[in-house]
Amino acid sequence: MGKRYYCDYCDKSFADTANSRKNHLKGVHHQRMRKLHYDSFRDPSVILAEERGKKPCKMFQSTGYCDFGNSCRFSHMLEQNFKDLEAQVHKGKETGKQKKAAGDNDPTLEQWLEERAKKPKTEVKKKVRDSGIELPQYTLAPCLMNIPNLPPSLRPPPKDAYKYLTLEEWG
Ligand SMILES: [Zn+2]
Ligand SMILES: [Zn+2]
């Protein structure tokens, strides 16, 4: 089996040849799906103003097809599309207002830091001493006992060395 080309916008796959790919990318369906995808990230009021500013495409209005596709300088929006878009803009404004009225804005980093600062320190940091962790007891290895001036890395850690370590809470 040859390679398949998968188009994310259209959720469709086909044999990957230069020709079929070119035809697909030029197709009306693909261009509409692609525009839909990118428009979903844009402010509907911006799209509305943009489309309202264009003259309707006569070709598209009468045949439902236009050679220029997305790069057409006339609008391919139909009356129903305008209505849907207007409803969307209206709805967006309403929820925006409600959110502001309820003070229900998305949490900010500042708020998170403030909350975190309020937490008692003991919750964030715990000393090993009170944590109930069993600390290992180190003794010098017998084979090292007769060697004078051992480097510190070979000596056992001093007693209580780990008692005052601070455990950080992760996350
Ligand atoms: Zn496609
Ligand atoms: Zn057109």
Side-chain angles (χ1 to χ4, degrees):
M1 212 173 89
K3 263 166 77 179
R4 307 277 297 170
Y5 180 89
Y6 175 72
C7 178
D8 255 323
Y9 302 115
C10 308
D11 186 23
K12 199 181 147 187
S13 70
F14 48 86
D16 189 15
T17 68
N19 238 345
S20 58
R21 203 194 289 196
K22 206 163 121 196
N23 280 334
H24 178 83
L25 297 183
K26 270 202 318 197
V28 201
H29 177 71
H30 172 79
Q31 300 207 358
R32 194 183 312 130
M33 296 309 279
R34 189 173 178 273
K35 187 168 187 321
L36 266 179
H37 174 75
Y38 285 111
D39 279 353
S40 67
F41 296 106
R42 296 173 69 203
D43 190 332
S45 62
V46 175
I47 305 172
L48 191 63
E50 207 177 274
E51 293 294 326
R52 283 270 188 232
K54 293 184 201 165
K55 283 182 182 159
C57 174
K58 282 197 183 116
M59 176 66 102
F60 193 82
Q61 299 279 345
S62 56
T63 64
Y65 179 83
C66 169
D67 267 335
F68 294 102
N70 281 333
S71 47
C72 184
R73 63 196 179 95
F74 299 109
S75 176
H76 285 183
M77 295 257 290
L78 304 171
E79 209 36 56
Q80 189 55 48
N81 301 133
F82 276 120
K83 276 186 190 154
D84 292 346
L85 211 49
E86 268 163 11
Q88 225 178 311
V89 172
H90 187 69
K91 213 175 132 199
K93 272 188 191 152
E94 283 300 301
T95 47
K97 268 188 218 158
Q98 281 167 9
K99 259 193 174 180
K100 264 189 193 151
D104 176 25
N105 290 321
D106 291 335
T108 62
L109 178 61
E110 283 71 30
Q111 283 170 349
W112 186 85
L113 286 171
E114 218 174 276
E115 283 300 310
R116 188 172 181 271
K118 277 188 216 156
K119 269 194 189 174
K121 278 279 183 292
T122 47
E123 244 183 77
V124 181
K125 289 182 176 183
K126 242 186 185 171
K127 299 271 187 214
V128 169
R129 183 179 30 164
D130 333 306
S131 68
I133 293 177
E134 196 70 27
L135 290 175
Q137 294 297 320
Y138 295 102
T139 48
L140 191 60
C143 57
L144 297 175
M145 277 178 179
N146 294 325
I147 304 174
N149 287 328
L150 272 180
S153 61
L154 291 181
R155 290 181 216 154
K159 242 182 155 194
D160 296 349
Y162 296 116
K163 250 194 181 168
Y164 300 99
L165 276 185
T166 307
L167 293 184
E168 290 291 342
E169 194 191 332
W170 284 41

